Amino acid sequence: MTVIIAFLANVLVAIAKTVAAVLTSSASMVAEAAHSWADAGNEIFLLIADRHGAKAKDERHPLGYGRAAFVWSLVAAFGIFTAGSIVSIMHGVQELSDSGPVESPGIAYAILGIAFVLEGASFTQALVRSRKLARERGSSTWDYVLETSDTTLRAVFFEDAAALIGLAIAGGAIAMHQITGVAAWDAVGSILVGVLLGVVALILIRRNIAFLIGSNASPALRERVGRALLTSPQIQRLTYLHIEYVGPNRLFIVAEVDLAGDAREHDVARRLRKVERQIESHPVVETVVLSLSVDDETSLDFGTSADARANADARANADAGENAGSSASTGTATGTHTETGTGTGTGTGTD
């Protein structure tokens, strides 16, 4: 829904800016029109990213198709850079040496005002959602949007924020042209809009590349997942934990665990498989691989209190004493909640 709202807003704004650019001969309005058309095209790539990334895993893609979302979002970011930034800067540079007066500036101001309202509505929707999710994770809105694996939300947030700033720049450039009588101010506005889009594009490109090459989970998420795993009565210790994003809100988890009790090899294998299936039942976990720890390996500490560890050990020992070879219910409380705000259990939310 966030992408669709942004797409509709950008199409309407792009049409209005194009008309204004023709009527006013303003370089800043040309840059803004290119900006909005680039954003509208990018929303299509983001919709493709959501659709491809949501496909279920299969034999050829055992970790799912989630990384396709990062690929298409990367394509969208390059679109901002080429169709938005480069075009605006080149046009501004050309107009510096051959700039004419802005005709009918009132039309430009009216279009910019309407565009600000439409872009503001789209940005508000993205901002409200981002603030809500950031509060759930105890993070600032800026840090959350910058680091989140939800590449679509980040793209819409930054594109709409850049659109609002770009509108202010364009309006200011036209105003300076009117006040000073120097037409070059309009061309400078176009260049500044292009530079703004270039900065936003580079931020989005950098973040998508980081996830494509295998960005690890944040320390906060690692701690939440570790604590959640240790709440299972089947897991007594955790000696290795690797968490990797394989798509927006999709995790690949590898862990070495020490199971409670001293069951036979066959029963241990069944218990491991059962714990894996319990963890994979959560919507944010794509795949989990568990193996057994060696007894002399150091246990990982995720800040679990001594009382909680003692209670977990007591439960594990009791289970082992009653039936060491059984495949008792795992009760794995992976308890995560996705970035859409849903979740259960201990609340190990993805970033």
Side-chain angles (χ1 to χ4, degrees):
M1 182 59 69
T2 302
V3 180
I4 294 176
I5 292 174
F7 173 74
L8 294 176
N10 281 322
V11 169
L12 293 176
V13 170
I15 294 174
K17 288 179 180 178
T18 302
V19 173
V22 173
L23 295 177
T24 63
S25 300
S26 168
S28 294
M29 290 305 301
V30 171
E32 278 299 303
H35 178 183
S36 292
W37 283 117
D39 282 353
N42 291 339
E43 307 305 336
I44 297 176
F45 288 123
L46 293 178
L47 289 171
I48 295 174
D50 284 345
R51 181 175 180 180
H52 280 251
K55 293 174 62 176
K57 60 184 178 183
D58 52 34
E59 292 184 359
R60 294 185 61 186
H61 299 84
L63 296 181
Y65 291 79
R67 285 197 174 103
F70 300 137
V71 173
W72 285 105
S73 296
L74 182 63
V75 172
F78 273 112
I80 297 175
F81 188 80
T82 54
S85 177
I86 294 178
V87 169
S88 298
I89 293 175
M90 289 181 61
H91 183 70
V93 171
Q94 291 172 354
E95 289 296 314
L96 278 175
S97 58
D98 185 24
S99 57
V102 175
E103 302 174 2
S104 304
I107 295 177
Y109 290 134
I111 296 300
L112 290 175
I114 295 173
F116 198 90
V117 172
L118 293 175
E119 295 284 7
S122 177
F123 177 71
T124 299
Q125 199 265 353
L127 179 62
V128 169
R129 183 169 177 230
S130 299
R131 281 181 173 175
K132 177 179 179 294
L133 296 172
R135 283 196 302 269
E136 291 175 357
R137 286 148 184 78
S139 172
S140 68
T141 302
W142 173 260
D143 288 339
Y144 173 76
V145 173
L146 194 61
E147 300 296 332
T148 181
S149 64
D150 190 341
T151 183
T152 300
L153 177 62
R154 177 171 47 251
V156 172
F157 183 96
F158 275 102
E159 286 179 9
D160 287 345
L164 293 175
I165 297 173
L167 291 169
I169 293 174
I174 295 174
M176 288 299 297
H177 169 47
Q178 283 188 282
I179 294 171
T180 64
V182 178
W185 277 110
D186 187 40
V188 170
S190 177
I191 295 173
L192 291 178
V193 169
V195 171
L196 172 66
L197 294 179
V199 171
V200 170
L202 291 176
I203 291 174
L204 297 178
I205 289 171
R206 177 177 176 274
R207 294 306 300 147
N208 282 297
I209 289 177
F211 283 107
L212 279 172
I213 63 178
S215 177
N216 287 334
S218 66
L221 176 59
R222 177 181 170 83
E223 182 171 331
R224 290 195 297 269
V225 171
R227 288 183 177 183
L229 290 173
L230 289 173
T231 61
S232 170
Q234 295 280 49
I235 299 177
Q236 195 166 14
R237 288 192 315 131
L238 192 62
T239 60
Y240 176 80
L241 178 61
H242 172 75
I243 306 168
E244 184 177 329
Y245 287 104
V246 291
N249 307 321
R250 306 298 296 174
L251 300 176
F252 172 49
I253 301 174
V254 179
E256 292 183 3
V257 300
D258 185 6
L259 295 181
D262 190 19
R264 294 175 301 172
E265 180 179 352
H266 175 72
D267 294 327
V268 168
R270 288 183 176 275
R271 289 171 63 190
L272 276 177
R273 179 60 58 84
K274 194 168 186 178
V275 173
E276 289 175 345
R277 295 297 175 265
Q278 288 283 340
I279 299 172
E280 288 178 347
S281 66
H282 195 276
V284 305
V285 179
E286 187 70 54
T287 303
V288 61
V289 177
L290 300 180
S291 60
L292 294 179
S293 301
V294 180
D295 56 6
D296 61 352
E297 291 180 328
T298 304
S299 300
L300 298 180
D301 185 5
F302 296 97
T304 309
S305 67
D307 290 341
R309 287 197 300 268
N311 291 336
D313 290 343
R315 290 196 307 269
N317 291 334
D319 292 340
E322 290 175 3
N323 190 357
S326 69
S327 57
S329 176
T330 61
T332 308
T334 54
T336 61
H337 57 264
T338 69
E339 292 179 10
T340 57
T342 60
T344 59
T346 58
T348 308
T350 60
D351 293 324

